[in-house]
Amino acid sequence: MAISYEELTDKHPCYARGKRGTTGRIHLPISPTCNIECKFCDRKINDYEKRPGVASTVIKPDEAIDVIARALEVCPAIKVAGIAGPGDTLASDYALKTFRLIREKYPELVKCMSTNGLLLAEKAEEVIETDIDSLTVTVNAVDPEIEAKLNSGILYHGKHYTGKEAAEILIKNQLEGIRKISAAGITVKVNTVLVIGINDHHIAEIAKTVSEAGASIYNIIPLIPQHELSDSPRPTCAQIDAARQQAEPYIDVFRHCQRCRADAIGVPGETDYGDQIYLKRISHKDTFSHG
């Protein structure tokens, strides 16, 4: 059974209240593919960029257990095993397989997963069955007109959708999925990428909507200008704070996100043993697809 939101504030660095905690986590780069085309996302295989969507390799579920064992040897502070990419965790079955293995081999670890939510509604029962403790869903808009400015398209059940139609499908599935997961007692965190001029005046509506759907905590991530939004301005501290103030009447707001890599290991903002564990295995360019 999933631990409570209150327990997560002590055991998971992404839920710690006030000052950043001292708990470590391991991100397992299990998920190789994605099914949506965010205009700000540039997934890469490398060993130097410090941002989401980046990993030095992609491993298989049966390798994850060995990686966890090695990570615990060098960083006993690790209490959380998470899967946050580098692709989407529900676009393949690797993440769910990995969580089942972790449940058997390391039941004491807190298990968390991140997803774009496109397939969350239909895979909710499978997600619940893995006994994860928390789920993060990236929701960048709850208005299809706004979402269409942030997402070029989706690949959904073998068909490619674009524009407002794609946005409507994505938002519907995200909110339905959040309802199902939260109803099962699993803590849901929502991430929103803050893009000035597109969704910065939409934050209150997102926060209110996802809170009503069952989300417990909200994380606003400032845009890293890249890919199709490389010319967009980087949000200032004042703009980030204003967005957080929009959200706070509706939901708890997380304030110390480190924008971790998909293969991060250690205490966020303090130590990172990723190079030591993954050994800089490969350095070739992007191997991801949207399929």
Side-chain angles (χ1 to χ4, degrees), residues 12 16 42 52 55 69 73 86 118 129 162 218 224 240 261 268 275 291:
H12 195 307
D42 189 14
E73 288 179 3
L118 177 62
E129 181 271 332
T162 60
Y218 191 49
I224 299 174
I240 298 167
R261 287 168 56 100
D275 286 351

Side-chain angles (χ1 to χ4, degrees), residues 34-43 51 116 138 140 144-154 160-164 166-167 170 193-195 197-199 223-232 290:
C34 196
N35 46 19
I36 74 173
E37 299 163 349
C38 296
K39 294 185 178 182
F40 51 75
C41 183
D42 189 14
R43 293 184 307 282
R51 62 175 177 82
N116 60 40
T138 299
N140 294 316
E145 296 284 355
I146 297 174
E147 176 64 32
K149 297 177 182 178
L150 297 168
N151 184 357
S152 297
I154 65 172
H160 187 248
Y161 297 86
T162 60
K164 186 177 177 181
L170 177 60
V193 177
L194 180 66
V195 185
I198 297 181
N199 69 353
L223 172 74
I224 299 174
Q226 59 186 358
H227 199 40
E228 293 182 57
L229 295 181
S230 59
D231 293 330
S232 295
H290 289 285

Side-chain angles (χ1 to χ4, degrees), residues 170-273:
L170 177 60
I171 293 167
K172 176 180 179 294
N173 290 355
Q174 288 173 330
L175 295 177
E176 182 181 343
I178 290 171
R179 292 186 192 100
K180 289 182 176 181
I181 297 298
S182 61
I186 297 170
T187 297
V188 176
K189 175 166 69 74
V190 167
N191 283 351
T192 292
V193 177
L194 180 66
V195 185
I196 303 304
I198 297 181
N199 69 353
D200 52 320
H201 297 296
H202 183 52
I203 298 300
E205 187 177 354
I206 300 172
K208 182 176 185 292
T209 302
V210 299
S211 177
E212 290 173 348
S216 298
I217 188 168
Y218 191 49
N219 181 26
I220 296 170
I221 303 173
L223 172 74
I224 299 174
Q226 59 186 358
H227 199 40
E228 293 182 57
L229 295 181
S230 59
D231 293 330
S232 295
R234 189 181 294 267
T236 66
C237 290
Q239 289 169 327
I240 298 167
D241 188 61
R244 288 170 173 164
Q245 289 183 42
Q246 286 188 56
E248 281 179 325
Y250 305 102
I251 192 169
D252 278 355
V253 175
F254 178 66
R255 289 180 173 270
H256 45 270
C257 179
Q258 297 293 310
R259 296 196 293 202
C260 302
R261 287 168 56 100
D263 60 357
I265 298 175
V267 178
E270 299 291 333
T271 56
D272 193 337
Y273 297 95

Side-chain angles (χ1 to χ4, degrees), residues 69-139:
R70 296 201 303 273
L72 287 171
E73 288 179 3
V74 299
C75 185
I78 291 173
K79 306 298 180 187
V80 178
I83 303 178
D88 185 65
T89 50
L90 296 179
S92 69
D93 62 357
Y94 301 150
L96 298 180
K97 285 182 177 179
T98 301
F99 281 125
R100 294 184 189 110
L101 291 173
I102 294 172
R103 181 181 59 192
E104 295 174 9
K105 302 291 185 179
Y106 293 98
E108 73 280 7
L109 290 178
V110 174
K111 300 181 292 298
C112 68
M113 183 173 80
S114 297
T115 178
N116 60 40
L118 177 62
L119 297 178
L120 184 57
E122 64 194 75
K123 293 196 173 185
E125 292 306 318
E126 291 182 73
V127 172
I128 294 164
E129 181 271 332
T130 65
D131 291 333
I132 64 168
D133 296 289
S134 70
L135 178 74
T136 296
V137 186
T138 299
V139 180

